[in-house]
Amino acid sequence: MASLALAPVLSLLGLLLAGWLFLRWTILTHYDASHRRNPVVQLLFAAVFALSANLLQLLVFEILDIMDPSMRRLNWHFDMVSMLCLLLFILPYYHSYVALAARLQPLRASLGAACLLAAGLFAFWHLGGVVPGIPRGHTRLLTMLEAVSRVGVLGIILVGVLSGYGSVSLPFSYISLFIRPVERAEISAMESQLRHTVDTIAHKRRSMAGLQEEIEVQEANGKTPRRSFFGRVLAAVGGGPQDPRAVLEKLQSEVVALERLRQALHADVIDLKREHQRALQARTSLGHFQNLLGYILSLYCIYRMFASVKALLFGEDMSSDPVSKTLGLVLRVFSGGAVTIDVHTFSQYLTLIFIGFISISSLRGFLKHMERFFTALSAGNATNMVLITSELLGFYTISTMLLLRRQLPHKYRAIINEAIGGEMEFDMLHRWFNSTFLISASLSLLLFYGLLSQKRQEASDRLPLYIMPSQGKPHEQTRRW
């Protein structure tokens, strides 16, 4: 019995370690060592990661009937309560405290964070009855169902946006037609420019340190330099010695501008390397397979958009699970009724494969998008970025679990209803997802169409220009912009 009780604890500890290692090896690699010294932030991210993975893992355990039912039920309740505490109390408070502690004293920062948390919870409570799909709070304290419904709707908006963008961006990344040809020389030139910018920033910072030391020595000796009227006139026109403080301010403004340039060059280098790697991979057998897969996913994206329109106009069948329904249809069409099997039993294993694939791919896709976001903002504050990602990951996981409930047969849906505290308006949640997905996919199509038009224009600008001379053979003159 002790070993059965110890298994969920060891599983959570393993997932906690996996979340911490993922953060250290992926996201935080884009920051300097000075930005990676906050163990509280890393622990909070690892906790959200572990609870998120464990919730999706429990869905698989329900289908395979792994672990004692009472132990699974306890695990469900522990995960949901812990996740809600992290998302609604601990993460918002600590994030507010970190933001205020940079400007205020610790005591004032704590009081300010408590006030911001109270205001956020007040607004969170008043979402009920205003946003469709969220029940109105009947008491001053939110119940489990009311809290999950609010988190679920906000997370489903995030899931819809990411799913719409991913359904368009994934075919775009696989189809070789959209790959930009990048030569190694172009990457080397951009890296050389980046190194030159970094060296210039380091040189100016050393000059700033020398000027700061000179100013401190002068102030310590009581020798504040004061120039005559003619000295100030000569300094203004560049003909005399300048004030060290003015030079220091000028260097600071130049360093700020160079840091912005460094960020842009760093993002460009990463983008060029990614495109170069994609171009190399497109020539392999895997690249040809991905190209074919990209066209198939494009057709699926179009089908999914039409399905969302149909669901918004005519509604969805929430009574049956799609896996059993699809399996029964396939058997009737291809066997003509000759093959008879227990559809519900066989669909259990298909549901397991489907739920496992969707759970892993959705979590991986979300973290991949956030890693790209970290790469683009690698010069930002790592603490704020990790805290924002932790909050979004928690919202994303709960909403994904609510959406996956429809894919499960009826006997597996009861445990989710029990874990969230009752029956929700799942039809409204799916309407939220379909509408958000449709808007996000449509805007993503417009975005990638603009990028494709731009790439075609750039490719036409690089084409050779043929000129027919008056005598002799035609020769080729290359035009590059």
Side-chain angles (χ1 to χ4, degrees):
M1 188 67 181
S3 60
L4 293 177
L6 192 60
V9 178
L10 294 177
S11 176
L12 275 176
L13 290 177
L15 293 173
L16 189 74
L17 178 61
W20 180 76
L21 292 176
F22 174 84
L23 180 66
R24 298 282 297 181
W25 291 349
T26 57
I27 296 177
L28 290 183
T29 56
H30 304 298
Y31 294 90
D32 298 331
S34 59
H35 292 92
R36 305 198 295 260
R37 296 176 181 173
N38 195 331
V40 177
V41 174
Q42 299 179 29
L43 179 62
L44 289 175
F45 176 87
V48 174
F49 181 93
L51 293 174
S52 301
N54 197 46
L55 280 174
L56 300 177
Q57 178 180 261
L58 284 173
L59 288 176
V60 179
F61 284 179
E62 286 293 332
I63 299 173
L64 289 179
D65 195 20
I66 297 177
M67 197 184 298
D68 183 70
S70 60
M71 189 63 64
R72 285 202 308 263
R73 186 175 293 107
L74 179 63
N75 209 348
W76 273 106
H77 288 290
F78 173 78
D79 273 25
M80 291 301 301
V81 172
S82 301
M83 183 70 83
L84 289 177
C85 288
L86 281 170
L87 295 180
L88 301 181
F89 298 101
I90 299 176
L91 283 170
Y93 175 81
Y94 188 73
H95 197 173
S96 302
Y97 173 79
V98 169
L100 295 175
R103 301 174 179 85
L104 301 175
Q105 297 178 353
L107 180 59
R108 293 184 177 181
S110 301
L111 295 176
C115 294
L116 290 176
L117 176 62
L121 291 176
F122 181 78
F124 187 76
W125 184 81
H126 277 279
L127 287 175
V130 178
V131 180
I134 297 181
R136 186 185 300 273
H138 300 290
T139 61
R140 292 184 179 181
L141 295 178
L142 289 175
T143 63
M144 173 71 77
L145 179 62
E146 293 168 350
V148 172
S149 63
R150 285 157 172 76
V151 172
V153 169
L154 296 177
I156 279 174
I157 295 175
L158 173 65
V159 173
V161 171
L162 291 178
S163 299
Y165 173 79
S167 64
V168 177
S169 65
L170 191 60
F172 184 85
S173 62
Y174 281 172
I175 297 177
S176 58
L177 178 65
F178 302 136
I179 296 178
R180 174 190 171 189
V182 177
E183 300 296 335
R184 186 63 195 174
E186 186 176 355
I187 300 177
S188 300
M190 189 66 69
E191 288 177 338
S192 177
Q193 188 176 358
L194 177 60
R195 287 193 298 269
H196 176 72
T197 304
V198 171
D199 293 341
T200 304
I201 292 174
H203 175 72
K204 290 184 179 293
R205 288 189 184 278
R206 287 193 296 268
S207 301
M208 289 169 56
L211 285 172
Q212 186 65 38
E213 184 179 356
E214 179 182 351
I215 293 173
E216 292 175 356
V217 170
Q218 291 177 352
E219 290 178 350
N221 296 331
K223 297 180 180 180
T224 304
R226 300 186 62 183
R227 292 172 297 180
S228 63
F229 172 76
F230 293 103
R232 292 194 297 270
V233 172
L234 290 175
V237 298
Q242 297 184 355
D243 185 6
R245 293 182 178 82
V247 176
L248 182 61
E249 293 177 358
K250 182 180 179 182
L251 287 175
Q252 288 175 345
S253 62
E254 291 177 355
V255 167
V256 170
L258 288 172
E259 279 290 346
R260 294 174 182 171
L261 177 61
R262 185 194 65 80
Q263 296 173 26
L265 291 175
H266 178 71
D268 288 342
V269 167
I270 293 178
D271 183 62
L272 289 176
K273 287 183 177 180
R274 185 184 297 118
E275 290 295 323
H276 180 69
Q277 188 63 31
R278 287 179 58 196
L280 293 178
Q281 188 177 7
R283 303 170 187 172
T284 62
S285 300
L286 177 61
H288 295 309
F289 173 75
Q290 288 182 343
N291 185 46
L292 176 62
L293 183 61
Y295 285 104
I296 297 175
L297 291 175
S298 300
L299 296 177
Y300 174 76
C301 174
I302 297 173
Y303 160 77
R304 191 66 187 85
M305 293 179 68
F306 279 107
S308 296
V309 173
K310 176 180 176 293
L312 290 173
L313 293 178
F314 305 105
E316 289 184 283
D317 181 16
M318 304 294 293
S319 59
S320 62
D321 64 288
V323 177
S324 300
K325 186 176 180 180
T326 304
L327 179 60
L329 178 62
V330 170
L331 288 177
R332 286 195 302 270
V333 171
F334 288 95
S335 67
V339 179
T340 57
I341 63 172
D342 188 354
V343 173
H344 295 286
T345 302
F346 192 69
S347 67
Q348 173 176 332
Y349 301 101
L350 289 181
T351 302
L352 169 64
I353 298 173
F354 180 78
I355 295 299
F357 174 76
I358 292 296
S359 301
I360 295 174
S361 61
S362 62
L363 187 61
R364 175 183 174 273
F366 174 80
L367 293 174
K368 187 176 180 180
H369 282 297
M370 294 310 299
E371 184 181 358
R372 291 181 179 178
F373 181 72
F374 272 84
T375 303
L377 299 178
S378 58
N381 191 311
T383 299
N384 291 330
M385 291 294 103
V386 174
L387 289 174
I388 291 173
T389 303
S390 303
E391 294 165 2
L392 294 179
L393 177 60
F395 279 85
Y396 184 90
T397 303
I398 290 181
S399 57
T400 301
M401 182 193 67
L402 296 178
L403 290 175
L404 287 177
R405 174 189 174 276
R406 182 183 172 237
Q407 316 298 331
L408 298 171
H410 288 281
K411 63 179 181 179
Y412 302 123
R413 298 182 184 181
I415 187 61
I416 296 182
N417 293 340
E418 182 182 349
I420 64 178
E423 187 78 20
M424 292 179 57
E425 297 182 30
F426 289 101
D427 181 56
M428 184 58 67
L429 292 180
H430 284 272
R431 291 183 68 85
W432 267 111
F433 172 77
N434 287 323
S435 57
T436 310
F437 171 85
L438 191 60
I439 295 173
S440 176
S442 301
L443 294 178
S444 300
L445 280 175
L446 294 177
L447 172 64
F448 283 104
Y449 177 78
L451 292 176
L452 179 59
S453 301
Q454 181 182 358
K455 287 187 176 183
R456 286 180 175 177
Q457 182 64 35
E458 292 176 354
S460 64
D461 291 341
R462 290 194 298 265
L463 288 177
L465 178 66
Y466 293 93
I467 301 177
M468 181 69 70
S470 57
Q471 296 178 355
K473 296 182 180 181
H475 66 279
E476 178 183 330
Q477 177 181 347
T478 302
R479 179 183 63 190
R480 291 186 182 271
W481 297 95

